[in-house]
Amino acid sequence: MKRVKKMQYESPKSIDDAISLISNSPGNVRLLAGGTDLLVQMQSQVADPDLVIDIKNIKEMKEFKKEDGVYTVGAAVTGMEIIEHEEFGSDWPGVVDGVKLIGSIQIKGRASMGGNLCNASPAADSIPAMIASGASAVIAGPNGRREVLVEDFIKGPGKTSLKSNEILLSVKFPIKKPNSSGAYLRFTPRTEMDIAVVGVGINVTMSDSGICEEAKVSIGAVAEKALVVEDAATALVGNKITDEIIENFISKVRASARPINDKRGTVDFRIQVIGVIAKRALKMALERIR
Amino acid sequence: MTRRHIEAKINGDNCDFLCESNETLLSVIRNQLQLTGTKEGCSTGDCGACSVMLDGRLVCSCLTLAVEVEGKNIDTIEGMSNGEDLHILQRKFLEHAALQCGICTPGFLIAARALLEKNPNPTETEVRYWLAGNLCRCTGYHKIVEAVLDAAEEMRG
Ligand SMILES: Cc1cc2nc3c(=O)[nH]c(=O)nc-3n(C[C@@H](O)[C@@H](O)[C@H](O)COP(=O)(O)OP(=O)(O)OC[C@H]3O[C@@H](n4cnc5c(N)ncnc54)[C@H](O)[C@@H]3O)c2cc1C
Ligand code: FES
Ligand code: FES
C-alpha cells in the first residue's frame, strides 16, 4: 500500500490499553480484527489510518463461551471458529447460516462477526440473523461497559452507535428458548462469494400444540440498515402456521422493505424476492424445531 | 518511524524480516522473503491466489498485515513438496492437467490441502464450495475438482 505518511500499528493486550490508545491518539485511528473490510479499504485508499489498533491479542476479544445458557462471542472470534462450534450451531443455526455466507473459507478464516457488525454494511449477512436471535452488542468505553440490542447498534450504512472512544467487546445471545430455532437466507445471483440482494433472518418459538409463541424477523439489504419487521412477527404469533398465515407474513415482510434500484436488483424485484426468501427462511426455522 | 522487526516461522523454519506497518504479508513473502510461489491476483480477497496457512488457518495473505504475524506459523506453497517429491495434490494437478497459466495453482493447492486435512472424503459439491474463494481464468475448474477428488482418494489409500 503506497502512502506518504507513516502508519503506526499497535497490538494492546488489554481492553483498557486499547481504549486509552484510541482516546489519546490524534489522527485517524482504526481498529483491526480480521481486516477483511479494513485492508480492502486500505488497499483502495478509502481508509488511510494513522494508527491501526489490532484487537486480536486481547484475550476477551477472542473468548467464545457459554455461561448459564448465555453465549458471549468475542468481537474478534473468526467466522471459521463460529462455524466449527457445534453446540453454538445447534442453538443458533440461523446465525451460523449468516456467518457461513461471509465470503470464502479464506475470508472466514479471518473475518469476525464483530467486524461484520461494526462495518455496518446494509447487506452484511450476519446482522439480520443476530437481530432475529435477540443478540446484543457489548461495548467498552472509558466509563465502563454498556449493552445495546444489535438493531439499535446499527444506525445506517457504515454507521454504528459506537462513540469514537468505544470498542465492541462481544456479541451476547439470550438464553435459547426450548422449541425455538432460526434461519438466515439470502438471495444472490451466485451461490458463493456475492453480496446479498435481499436477506432474511428469523427466529421462532413454537408451543407443543404447534402455535407460534414468539417470533422475530429481520430483513437485510432492502433498506439503509437491517430492519426489524414487527408486523411480520405479529402475523405469526398466536397462530398455527397455515398457508394463509404464511401469505399474511409474506405480505408484511414485503410491505416493510424499502430497497433501492441498483445493478444487483430493482426495487420491484427485491420486494418480490424478499417475500419468497422470507417464506423459505420461516419453513427452514420450523423444520429445525422438529 | 523505523521499520518493524518481526519474527515468525515460515514453512517450519524460523525467519525474521523488517517491514512497514502497512505492508501486507503477501508483499513480505514475495518481495523480502523471495518466496514467489504465492501469487497476487486482486489484492482484495476475491481470487485466493495469495492463499497461505496462518497458524493452521487458510487465509488471504493480501488481507493480512505482515506485522500481525509476529510469533506465528506461516505455510506457503514452497513447503508443500518434500524436495523433489511432489505432494499428491501437486502430482494430481499435473496428471489431470488442472492448470494452464498456473497463476491460480499455488492458491488452489494450499486451499485443497486445507480441505483434505479437515475432510479426507469430500463430495464434489464440498470441493466446489470449499474452493469458491479461488478463481481460475483458464481451466474452467472441472479438472481442478477432478484432481482434488482423485488426490483425496489416493490419500485415503
Ligand atoms: C472477498 C470478500 C467477500 C466478502 N463477502 C461477504 C459476504 O458475502 N457477506 C458479508 O456479510 N460480508 C462479506 N465480506 C465482508 C466481511 O468479510 C466483513 O464484513 C467481515 O465480517 C469484517 O470482519 P473483520 O474481522 O475482517 O473486520 P475488520 O476489517 O478488521 O473490521 C471491520 C470494521 O470494523 C471495525 N472494527 C473491527 N472490530 C471492531 C471492534 N471490536 N470495535 C469497533 N470497531 C471494530 C474496523 O475498524 C473496520 O472499520 C466479504 C469480504 C471480502 C473481502
Ligand atoms: S490476491 Fe489475495 S485474494 Fe486475490
Ligand atoms: S490456470 Fe490460469 S488462472 Fe488458473
Side-chain angles (χ1 to χ4, degrees), chain B residues 26 39-50 60-62:
Chain B
L26 175 63
K39 303 300 181 200
E40 176 166 19
C42 63
S43 316
T44 51
D46 291 286
C47 78
C50 66
C60 293
S61 58
C62 72

Side-chain angles (χ1 to χ4, degrees), chain A residues 105-269:
Chain A
I105 305 292
Q106 284 89 331
I107 297 300
K108 286 179 286 239
R110 296 256 301 161
S112 62
M113 195 163 71
N116 201 233
L117 182 54
C118 291
N119 189 56
S121 157
D125 284 306
S126 72
I127 295 177
M130 279 191 262
I131 291 176
S133 307
S136 37
V138 183
I139 299 162
N143 306 318
R145 295 183 179 188
R146 64 188 180 98
E147 252 182 73
V148 291
L149 284 173
V150 170
E151 54 264 45
D152 300 325
F153 181 81
I154 304 284
K155 294 292 177 203
K159 290 202 175 63
T160 68
S161 69
L162 283 178
K163 300 193 189 81
S164 63
N165 54 6
E166 285 184 323
I167 305 182
L168 176 74
L169 209 57
S170 57
V171 178
K172 217 164 114 181
F173 292 83
I175 296 172
K176 182 191 179 285
K177 303 242 167 64
N179 269 331
S180 74
S181 198
Y184 172 80
L185 282 178
R186 69 175 187 183
F187 175 83
T188 51
R190 284 183 83 203
T191 52
E192 277 285 289
M193 300 291 282
D194 208 342
I195 302 170
V197 174
V198 307
V200 180
I202 182 164
N203 242 75
V204 282
T205 308
M206 303 297 289
S207 75
D208 290 335
S209 55
I211 305 282
C212 178
E213 288 182 329
E214 235 180 279
K216 194 162 182 184
V217 184
S218 175
I219 54 178
V222 288
E224 70 290 351
K225 59 175 206 158
L227 304 174
V228 177
V229 193
E230 273 167 31
D231 287 355
T234 310
L236 300 175
V237 173
N239 294 307
K240 277 207 155 78
I241 310 300
T242 59
D243 288 351
E244 201 187 328
I245 294 293
I246 291 176
E247 283 313 310
N248 190 25
F249 160 79
I250 292 173
S251 67
K252 299 293 195 255
V253 169
R254 287 196 172 122
S256 57
R258 40 167 203 264
I260 52 168
N261 281 313
D262 67 15
K263 62 179 180 204
R264 292 176 307 114
T266 61
V267 168
D268 288 348
F269 176 74

Side-chain angles (χ1 to χ4, degrees), chain A residues 9 43 56 84 106 110, chain B residues 4 51 57 62 68 134:
Chain A
Y9 168 88
Q43 300 272 29
K56 290 190 294 296
E84 287 165 4
Q106 284 89 331
R110 296 256 301 161
Chain B
R4 306 273 297 226
S51 298
R57 284 269 175 219
C62 72
E68 292 182 66
N134 293 82

Side-chain angles (χ1 to χ4, degrees), chain B residues 100-102 104 136-139:
Chain B
Q100 288 176 34
C101 80
C104 68
C136 176
R137 299 288 292 187
C138 304
T139 65

